[in-house]
Amino acid sequence: MQEQLSEILAPYRGQKGTTIPILQKVQETLGYLPEEALPEIANFLGVSKNEVYGVATFYAQFRFEKQGEHVIRVCQGTACHVRGGALLLDTIEREIGAKAGETTEDGKFTLERVACLGSCALAPVMVVDKAVHGKLTAAKAREVLAKYKQEPKAEE
Ligand code: FES
């Protein structure tokens, strides 16, 4: 990670106001902001670790935990809720063995509960990575997840 960080930081040397772009670049490259990267970034910027941490926690776009290979977002907005969104979430939690906000032990899935995904006509909806799956029943959701489960684990 040390090497990757140095590569990420190098182009920003001598520039001002780069805290957010640097944090974005680190997250884009590593998938999250590892705790141990923050002192390095602070050191590079010549500010305290708390300052960097403060910026990173202020913006919802930054996450401090590694996400699974696939991110499942299950809508709990009104349209989805009235069409069985809660049951869908429950089914998915049981199917992958992780609760909303968690990542499965094998690192395959991260499950998130979200508000309206903007596809209400397809309620109830889940999005896996960028693929929208709508009008889901428990059986259909299991079918979708089975495909992701079957694929070989990505190399680290
Ligand atoms: S409420 Fe679920 S997509 Fe809008």
Side-chain angles (χ1 to χ4, degrees), residues 75-81 115-121 123-125:
C75 184
Q76 299 296 291
T78 310
C80 289
H81 181 73
C116 184
L117 286 160
S119 304
C120 308
V125 177

Side-chain angles (χ1 to χ4, degrees), residues 1-154:
M1 193 189 76
Q2 187 70 38
E3 229 170 79
Q4 272 176 307
L5 256 186
S6 306
E7 265 175 45
I8 294 167
L9 294 172
Y12 296 98
R13 194 165 295 284
Q15 293 182 34
K16 290 206 181 300
T18 53
T19 308
I20 292 175
I22 286 174
L23 292 174
Q24 284 170 330
K25 191 71 189 167
V26 171
Q27 180 160 291
E28 189 189 306
T29 309
L30 304 175
Y32 71 119
L33 295 179
E35 180 81 38
E36 46 302 2
L38 298 183
E40 290 281 330
I41 296 169
N43 198 19
F44 178 82
L45 291 166
V47 299
S48 70
K49 182 190 163 194
N50 282 350
E51 205 168 310
V52 174
Y53 190 75
V55 172
T57 49
F58 182 78
Y59 295 97
Q61 63 176 299
F62 296 117
R63 36 175 195 275
F64 298 95
E65 277 171 30
K66 197 171 182 176
Q67 288 201 306
E69 215 177 300
H70 300 290
V71 179
I72 307 169
R73 297 189 170 89
V74 185
C75 184
Q76 299 296 291
T78 310
C80 289
H81 181 73
V82 298
R83 292 204 178 91
L87 181 67
L88 178 65
L89 180 63
D90 200 52
T91 303
I92 295 167
E93 286 182 339
R94 270 185 283 123
E95 197 59 27
I96 66 171
K99 296 266 178 210
E102 294 177 356
T103 296
T104 54
E105 271 175 33
D106 63 0
K108 188 95 183 170
F109 299 107
T110 292
L111 181 60
E112 290 178 358
R113 169 209 307 259
V114 294
C116 184
L117 286 160
S119 304
C120 308
L122 298 177
V125 177
M126 75 169 170
V127 173
V128 185
D129 303 327
K130 287 184 176 145
V132 179
H133 301 275
K135 301 201 175 197
L136 287 170
T137 57
K140 220 166 139 187
R142 277 191 214 106
E143 217 176 276
V144 171
L145 294 174
K147 287 194 192 126
Y148 289 96
K149 281 184 182 176
Q150 277 160 19
E151 54 182 38
K153 185 143 175 44

